[in-house]
Amino acid sequence: MPSSPLVLESAHIVCKRAANMSLTQGFFCINKHKPWIETTYHGIVTENDDKVLLDPPLIALDKDAPLRYAESFEVTLTEEGEICGFRIHGQNVPFEAVVLDKSTGEGVIRAKDKLDCELQKEHTFTIQAYDCGEGPDGTNMKKSHKATVHIQVNDINEYSPVFKEKSYKATVIEGKKYDSILKVEAVDADCSFQFSQICNYEIVTPDVPFTIDKDGFIKNTEKLSYGKEHMYKLTVTAYDCGKNRASEDVLVKISVKPTCKPSWQGFNKRIEYEPGTGSLALFPSMHLETCDEPITSIRASIELETNHIGKGCDRDTYSEKSLHKLCGASSGTVELLPAPSSSANWTVGLPTDNGHDSDQVFEFNGTQAIKVPDGMVSTSLKEPFTISVWMRHGPGAHEKETILCNSDKTEMNRHHYSLYVHNCRLILLLRQDPSEAENYKPAEFHWKLNQVCDKEWHHFVLNVEFPTVSLFVDGSAFEPFLVTEDYPLHASKIETQLTIGACWQENSGHDNDTETVSEPTSGGSGRMAQFFRGSLAGLMVRSGKLENKKVIDCLYTCKEGLDVQLPEEVASAFNPNQSSLTVEGDDIDAFDKVMQHISYLNSRQFPTPGIRHLRISTTVKCFSEESCVTVPDAEGYVMVLQPEEPKISLSGIDHFARSAAEFESQEGVKLFPELRIVSTITREVEADTESEAAEGADDDPTVQETVVSEEIMHNLDTCEVTVVGDELDGEHESLEVDMSQLQQHGMEMSSSNLGLVITGVNTMANYEQVLHLIRYKNWHTEALFDRKFKLVCSELNGRYISNDFKVEVNVIHTASPVEHANNAMVQPNFINPIHHASVDLSGHNLVNAHQASVVPSAATIVIVVCVSFLVFMIILGVFRIRAAHQRTMRDQENGKENEMDWDDSALTITVNPMETYEDQHSSEEEEEEEEESEDGEEEDDITSAESESSEDEEGGEPEDQQGASRQQQLEWDDSTLTY
């Protein structure tokens, strides 16, 4: 029987019972409808959670869902109306949809893995719902439409703020309050606005004058001072809006810069100069700070202050006469203020600066004056002449102050010519000699100059070629502003007196500017007037020729000064003495380079040590005059270090003997035949190699340097030979030198009864050559046994002085045969005359006498002995008197010198052979000598030219090794004598 379908229609559900099924077995429904879901869903999920909160909730509805009938009958429900699942569409969707209740269609969306908001904070995908299909096997499954799902991933505060920089730096200028100095910035890796935002910054370092706002801007709370703190170090942290603190705090350095002050920067105030090293850059790293002000031009003046060194700067300190020759002046120059010496002693009483490092200057305090010896200057006012002088003079009083004056020596007060200072004026008085025409002629030349009374050293040169007088001050020419005239002087035979520092005049009370004849006064005496107050040096008078400009500039030019090699784009100017330099330019960079090339140079071999102050004065012009900067003066100093001073050593034969005939000859005796002049310096040097240094360290670790002596060459300017003991007697002795040789070397010689002085700048070799030619002559040697001399040489006008080299020369007298009236006194004919070859007395060497071969009788021997003894006693008495005189001289000269050289090339000595024989064999003479010693006489006092060798044997003072090795005694052959 076919089954009859039972149709249950309720809520559009159609169910059928199968034909082979009983009623109790149930019904099945037809899957007629699709599930239904919302079209759009919005969800939220947290990073650390997998459950998504959807709005609206995820629910799928299906119309095929069966009705539930009453309990009166049982209906088996089919699955066609149930929701079996949801499907998500999209690539790499990290979510899944799960059905919670099939019958109700309720489901959820959840994350399959842990979500990361920082990687993706929003997800969008589609979803569909599926029902369970028809029948038991779920065929004909239907699906809903696709719905869009938007899910937002909520952030958690998992990251802390991190600063963008490892550290922060800033520079501020002191004294200024800033609105913002710098900004620090931190970032947060969280994805949400709340947790990724930095809500606060904080300065961790306590008690600092800074604050920071929420945006990270740091500013100072008070004005900063560079003197208080050069740099501040702050520790800063940050907080995000979730109150997480930065993982690491950051360091902030804030430097405080001094207020920008325009100035020269980058140079050392102390600059050391090593003598002999050439040019030294003074400002190698210097630059001008203008504080970014636009500059249109710069002008800088660099001044090297050297007015405290010598006569205004470092110059060669040779005598003024030598300097004139070095500068090319011709002969005829007379130095009126020489350094005191035996031949130029008129400046002995004047106070000096006592400085050997710099120039020799003389001080005049208004009470001293000196007379120049007669004949030193023979200036004729009719021919050209030059007066040059170094002068330092203050304002002084209003009286006349005389530098140089030539006035009448007696009776009158006429000033023939004079150079004086009056009210800051330099005045030359030049009165003409008598002439036929008694007309007015120029007599006084006036110059009004600041240099006359500014208390600084200045060099004055007056070229006088009447009626024209030219004045040069520090190399610059000046014309007189006033010339007055006067009558020529009246004819007179009165001698004149040349004085320095005042004017000589008769003590009569008359005006010394007139030529009125002074009234004779009984017992009247001359006096000085118009005294000078100041310092003078190098006063020279040169007759017959004027100084040219080249020589004048040479005399004034310094040996030290500023030097620079300037590029073309920068202008510059030097002053005449190179002690100041002016630099101008408009480019700051180029200007700095020029300043860096300015150097100090001192060309002296032995510079004057000490400080030279430096000053840089700068003027700057700007585009805006109102805001133009002012550059203060920069000051420093050059320290010239002490030069290695030379040691001048004189050596040679210092003790020798010559025959009287040589002293009396036309040539005389050479005093310094083997003189040697050597100059050395001592310096410390390091070890040559590292190995030597290492070896030295092993032996003595404290030894780092070695002292060595090194010979150097330099000039001498004076050598003075003085007599030790009695002065030279001009009637019978003199010191002479070949004048042609002196002139050939450009040297000069002055002599007196005290010795002689050779002057002139020249090499040590030339001085040696000239000194070898000095000869001592004595044409009255009967009473002379020895003479002593001392030689001293110097450099730079006495700055470096040699040792005192003393020479003692002995006179060897030749004993002549004595004619006796008594035949008994005559030498017996059986004794052969003693013949001598050229006897070498060098080093006290005596050649043995020839031996006699004749045998004398005993009576003859007794006679000869008696006569010889008598002669011996007479000579002995005379020699003792002379020896006493010599001993007194030796005590004054502190003994003999070390070496002795004997030259007897022209010497013939007659030796009594009995002296040696009697000294060795005669007991009678020994008894006589004992008697003489009892009378208070000493054998050591027997000294004479004839007995030099015996004196050396008895005196006991050793001679040099060469002489000692050659020393011999005269021997008498007594083998044939009978007693």
Side-chain angles (χ1 to χ4, degrees):
M1 173 176 182
S3 60
S4 58
L6 176 62
V7 180
L8 299 176
E9 294 185 2
S10 176
H12 306 288
I13 298 175
V14 178
C15 298
K16 295 180 179 179
R17 186 176 68 177
N20 57 351
M21 286 185 168
S22 63
L23 182 62
T24 56
Q25 287 178 332
F27 296 84
F28 67 91
C29 297
I30 299 173
N31 191 9
K32 184 179 180 179
H33 300 281
K34 297 178 181 181
W36 178 87
I37 58 175
E38 297 287 343
T39 59
T40 304
Y41 293 91
H42 293 277
I44 298 175
V45 65
T46 305
E47 281 183 315
N48 59 353
D49 195 1
D50 61 350
K51 185 177 181 180
V52 179
L53 299 176
L54 285 177
D55 182 24
L58 181 59
I59 299 175
L61 300 176
D62 195 328
K63 292 182 179 182
D64 294 326
L67 295 176
R68 294 183 181 275
Y69 295 95
E71 298 179 355
S72 59
F73 61 93
E74 179 179 352
V75 179
T76 302
L77 298 178
T78 64
E79 297 178 356
E80 287 80 1
E82 295 180 350
I83 302 301
C84 283
F86 296 94
R87 179 174 294 177
I88 294 176
H89 298 278
Q91 294 182 353
N92 302 323
V93 178
F95 296 96
E96 63 181 358
V98 179
V99 178
L100 298 179
D101 189 342
K102 291 183 177 182
S103 61
T104 60
E106 182 181 358
V108 293
I109 297 177
R110 60 189 179 189
K112 294 187 293 183
D113 297 313
K114 185 177 180 181
L115 299 175
D116 190 347
C117 176
E118 286 72 34
L119 294 177
Q120 187 172 351
K121 63 193 318 183
E122 289 185 355
H123 298 269
T124 301
F125 53 88
T126 59
I127 189 171
Q128 281 181 314
Y130 292 84
D131 61 15
C132 295
E134 298 178 2
D137 54 358
T139 59
N140 297 323
M141 181 183 297
K142 293 186 180 295
K143 56 185 177 182
S144 68
H145 62 271
K146 292 182 180 179
T148 302
V149 180
H150 299 280
I151 298 177
Q152 177 181 343
V153 182
N154 278 354
D155 186 26
I156 62 174
N157 197 6
E158 59 181 325
Y159 291 100
S160 298
V162 176
F163 286 95
K164 287 185 175 182
E165 304 289 340
K166 292 183 178 180
S167 64
Y168 293 86
K169 295 180 181 179
T171 301
V172 297
I173 299 176
E174 66 174 348
K176 185 177 179 181
K177 203 168 182 180
Y178 290 81
D179 294 332
S180 175
I181 297 174
L182 78 159
K183 179 183 180 181
V184 297
E185 187 175 0
V187 295
D188 196 306
D190 289 312
C191 65
S192 64
F193 176 82
Q194 177 185 5
F195 297 143
S196 65
Q197 285 293 102
I198 307 298
C199 285
N200 187 30
Y201 290 93
E202 180 182 336
I203 297 176
V204 179
T205 306
D207 302 327
V208 289
F210 299 94
T211 184
I212 189 170
D213 61 15
K214 63 176 182 172
D215 296 322
F217 290 99
I218 298 177
K219 64 180 181 179
N220 54 323
T221 58
E222 62 184 43
K223 293 181 180 180
L224 305 178
S225 172
Y226 177 81
K228 181 179 180 181
E229 189 71 43
H230 292 0
M231 176 184 288
Y232 290 90
K233 295 181 180 180
L234 315 176
T235 302
V236 177
T237 191
Y239 293 89
D240 62 20
C241 293
K243 297 185 178 180
N244 268 7
R245 180 173 173 170
S247 57
E248 290 185 5
D249 298 337
V250 71
L251 177 64
V252 178
K253 296 180 180 179
I254 300 177
S255 300
V256 180
K257 183 180 180 181
T259 303
C260 185
K261 298 177 181 178
S263 62
W264 288 104
Q265 298 180 1
F267 75 99
N268 295 325
K269 291 188 176 181
R270 175 186 171 96
I271 305 158
E272 292 188 353
Y273 180 78
E274 183 74 27
T277 56
S279 295
L280 173 66
L282 296 175
F283 321 111
S285 303
M286 189 169 70
H287 67 277
L288 180 61
E289 175 61 60
T290 59
C291 298
D292 299 327
E293 187 71 26
I295 303 299
T296 60
S297 66
I298 311 170
R299 185 177 186 271
S301 297
I302 302 93
E303 296 181 2
L304 179 71
E305 296 181 4
T306 59
N307 52 5
H308 62 291
I309 305 296
K311 298 191 291 286
C313 67
D314 211 1
R315 297 182 174 88
D316 282 330
T317 57
Y318 297 115
S319 67
E320 196 69 19
K321 196 169 187 178
S322 296
L323 289 175
H324 274 69
K325 289 187 177 180
L326 289 175
C327 288
S330 59
S331 60
T333 303
V334 179
E335 187 173 10
L336 300 183
L337 282 175
S341 65
S342 59
S343 59
N345 57 1
W346 62 88
T347 59
V348 171
L350 286 177
T352 67
D353 64 343
N354 295 323
H356 281 172
D357 286 346
S358 56
D359 298 323
Q360 178 79 61
V361 302
F362 297 92
E363 304 289 343
F364 293 83
N365 61 7
T367 62
Q368 303 110 332
I370 58 173
K371 296 181 182 180
V372 179
D374 295 339
M376 287 297 298
V377 179
S378 58
T379 301
S380 172
L381 301 183
K382 295 181 180 180
E383 63 178 0
F385 67 95
T386 297
I387 299 176
S388 62
V389 64
W390 284 92
M391 180 177 71
R392 180 174 60 188
H393 181 260
H398 296 291
E399 297 94 9
K400 296 179 180 180
E401 299 180 43
T402 301
I403 301 171
L404 179 67
C405 179
N406 188 33
S407 59
D408 289 336
K409 182 176 288 188
T410 59
E411 300 180 9
M412 305 181 74
N413 291 334
R414 299 178 304 172
H415 293 184
H416 292 251
Y417 64 88
S418 66
L419 181 65
Y420 62 94
V421 175
H422 189 207
N423 292 332
C424 290
R425 298 179 182 182
L426 184 68
I427 303 173
L428 174 66
L429 172 66
L430 187 61
R431 301 292 296 277
Q432 293 299 300
D433 290 334
S435 61
E436 295 179 359
E438 295 293 331
N439 297 328
Y440 267 28
K441 293 184 178 181
E444 280 190 344
F445 301 81
H446 297 244
W447 293 269
K448 189 173 184 179
L449 304 168
N450 293 330
Q451 293 90 329
V452 173
C453 53
D454 62 358
K455 296 183 180 180
E456 301 291 343
W457 279 106
H458 296 285
H459 186 233
F460 298 85
V461 177
L462 292 102
N463 280 337
V464 181
E465 190 172 17
F466 192 82
T468 303
V469 179
S470 301
L471 173 66
F472 295 87
V473 181
D474 299 337
S476 301
F478 292 87
E479 294 295 330
F481 80 95
L482 177 65
V483 178
T484 61
E485 296 182 342
D486 202 347
Y487 284 108
L489 294 172
H490 292 167
S492 173
K493 295 183 179 181
I494 301 175
E495 294 183 355
T496 60
Q497 176 64 59
L498 185 62
T499 55
I500 301 173
C503 206
W504 175 263
Q505 65 183 39
E506 191 71 14
N507 190 10
S508 62
H510 288 276
D511 185 1
N512 58 9
D513 287 334
T514 68
E515 58 184 44
T516 304
V517 179
S518 303
E519 297 178 1
T521 56
S522 59
S525 61
R527 65 180 179 88
M528 295 287 188
Q530 301 177 5
F531 286 96
F532 181 77
R533 294 174 179 84
S535 301
L536 298 176
L539 180 56
M540 308 289 292
V541 174
R542 181 182 178 193
S543 302
K545 193 173 182 181
L546 303 180
E547 294 287 16
N548 59 48
K549 186 66 166 58
K550 183 178 179 181
V551 173
I552 294 173
D553 290 341
C554 175
L555 291 172
Y556 176 71
T557 301
C558 296
K559 290 290 185 177
E560 65 177 342
L562 300 174
D563 188 24
V564 64
Q565 299 295 329
L566 296 177
E568 296 180 357
E569 62 268 18
V570 180
S572 67
F574 281 97
N575 72 342
N577 64 358
Q578 292 184 320
S579 64
S580 68
L581 168 67
T582 300
V583 183
E584 296 183 1
D586 54 9
D587 184 278
I588 294 181
D589 293 335
F591 200 91
D592 289 343
K593 290 181 180 178
V594 172
M595 296 296 291
Q596 293 168 6
H597 284 82
I598 295 176
S599 59
Y600 169 80
L601 175 63
N602 195 317
S603 60
R604 291 192 66 190
Q605 187 176 14
F606 307 108
T608 303
I611 291 176
R612 277 76 163 163
H613 289 282
L614 276 171
R615 179 186 298 272
I616 305 175
S617 303
T618 310
T619 303
V620 176
K621 292 184 179 180
C622 310
F623 286 104
S624 174
E625 296 183 0
E626 296 179 357
S627 61
C628 194
V629 298
T630 301
V631 180
D633 292 349
E635 296 184 356
Y637 62 92
V638 177
M639 172 59 75
V640 179
L641 302 180
Q642 180 73 37
E644 295 172 336
E645 298 189 355
K647 180 182 179 182
I648 306 173
S649 301
L650 308 180
S651 60
I653 300 173
D654 59 1
H655 194 178
F656 60 91
R658 297 290 185 270
S659 66
E662 289 190 51
F663 289 94
E664 297 175 357
S665 66
Q666 186 66 28
E667 292 79 12
V669 175
K670 290 184 177 181
L671 286 182
F672 313 106
E674 298 182 15
L675 178 69
R676 175 76 172 132
I677 304 176
V678 176
S679 181
T680 58
I681 59 173
T682 301
R683 66 176 65 187
E684 294 181 351
V685 296
E686 298 180 355
D688 294 338
T689 61
E690 296 180 359
S691 59
E692 292 180 0
E695 292 175 1
D698 294 337
D699 298 335
D700 186 358
T702 61
V703 177
Q704 300 294 335
E705 295 179 337
T706 304
V707 177
V708 297
S709 183
E710 177 180 325
E711 184 174 345
I712 64 169
M713 300 301 296
H714 59 90
N715 292 331
L716 300 177
D717 56 7
T718 303
C719 281
E720 184 174 2
V721 181
T722 55
V723 181
V724 178
D726 295 338
E727 298 179 357
L728 292 176
D729 188 346
E731 294 182 359
H732 58 78
E733 60 181 341
S734 66
L735 287 174
E736 298 180 0
V737 66
D738 189 346
M739 297 303 298
S740 63
Q741 289 289 336
L742 281 178
Q743 295 174 359
Q744 180 179 347
H745 294 300
M747 301 180 187
E748 295 184 359
M749 188 267 290
S750 59
S751 60
S752 67
N753 57 354
L754 298 176
L756 59 84
V757 179
I758 298 175
T759 58
V761 180
N762 220 311
T763 63
M764 292 184 289
N766 287 342
Y767 263 94
E768 276 187 9
Q769 183 177 349
V770 170
L771 291 172
H772 289 167
L773 303 177
I774 295 180
R775 297 175 177 272
Y776 170 63
K777 296 173 63 176
N778 191 316
W779 48 92
H780 184 69
T781 59
E782 289 82 357
L784 179 66
F785 286 90
D786 59 34
R787 258 299 192 184
K788 295 181 181 179
F789 301 90
K790 181 178 71 175
L791 172 64
V792 177
C793 295
S794 64
E795 158 79 318
L796 296 171
N797 209 17
R799 179 177 177 184
Y800 302 117
I801 304 176
S802 72
N803 60 305
D804 292 352
F805 179 66
K806 296 181 180 179
V807 173
E808 179 179 346
V809 55
N810 294 94
V811 182
I812 301 177
H813 295 276
T814 302
S816 302
V818 182
E819 296 182 0
H820 300 281
N822 189 345
N823 291 334
M825 304 293 289
V826 180
Q827 186 177 16
N829 57 8
F830 58 81
I831 299 180
N832 290 338
I834 299 176
H835 301 282
H836 294 276
S838 179
V839 181
D840 183 12
L841 292 181
S842 176
H844 305 282
N845 291 338
L846 299 178
V847 179
N848 293 339
H850 291 268
Q851 298 177 355
S853 59
V854 180
V855 179
S857 63
T860 302
I861 292 174
V862 172
I863 294 174
V864 170
V865 169
C866 293
V867 171
S868 300
F869 181 75
L870 179 60
V871 174
F872 173 78
M873 292 301 295
I874 294 173
I875 295 175
L876 179 63
V878 174
F879 285 171
R880 285 188 178 276
I881 295 173
R882 294 176 178 174
H885 173 70
Q886 291 178 355
R887 185 170 64 254
T888 303
M889 297 300 296
R890 284 196 303 271
D891 293 339
Q892 295 175 356
E893 295 304 318
N894 297 323
K896 289 185 176 182
E897 301 295 327
N898 295 328
E899 297 180 354
M900 193 170 186
D901 180 56
W902 292 72
D903 184 358
D904 57 352
S905 58
L907 177 63
T908 302
I909 302 178
T910 302
V911 180
N912 186 354
M914 292 303 297
E915 287 185 353
T916 306
Y917 172 79
E918 290 165 358
D919 289 341
Q920 298 176 358
H921 302 283
S922 177
S923 60
E924 295 179 2
E925 293 174 3
E926 292 176 357
E927 292 176 0
E928 291 292 334
E929 290 172 0
E930 290 175 1
E931 293 175 2
E932 291 174 2
S933 63
E934 291 174 0
D935 294 335
E937 297 178 350
E938 298 178 0
E939 292 180 333
D940 295 340
D941 293 334
I942 304 176
T943 57
S944 68
E946 294 86 350
S947 58
E948 280 294 328
S949 59
S950 62
E951 177 192 8
D952 292 334
E953 295 169 5
E954 297 171 4
E957 184 169 335
E959 299 296 331
D960 61 288
Q961 295 180 359
Q962 182 180 0
S965 64
R966 299 198 310 254
Q967 189 173 4
Q968 298 178 1
Q969 294 181 349
L970 292 176
E971 296 180 359
W972 171 255
D973 188 353
D974 59 345
S975 59
T976 58
L977 295 180
T978 58
Y979 294 87

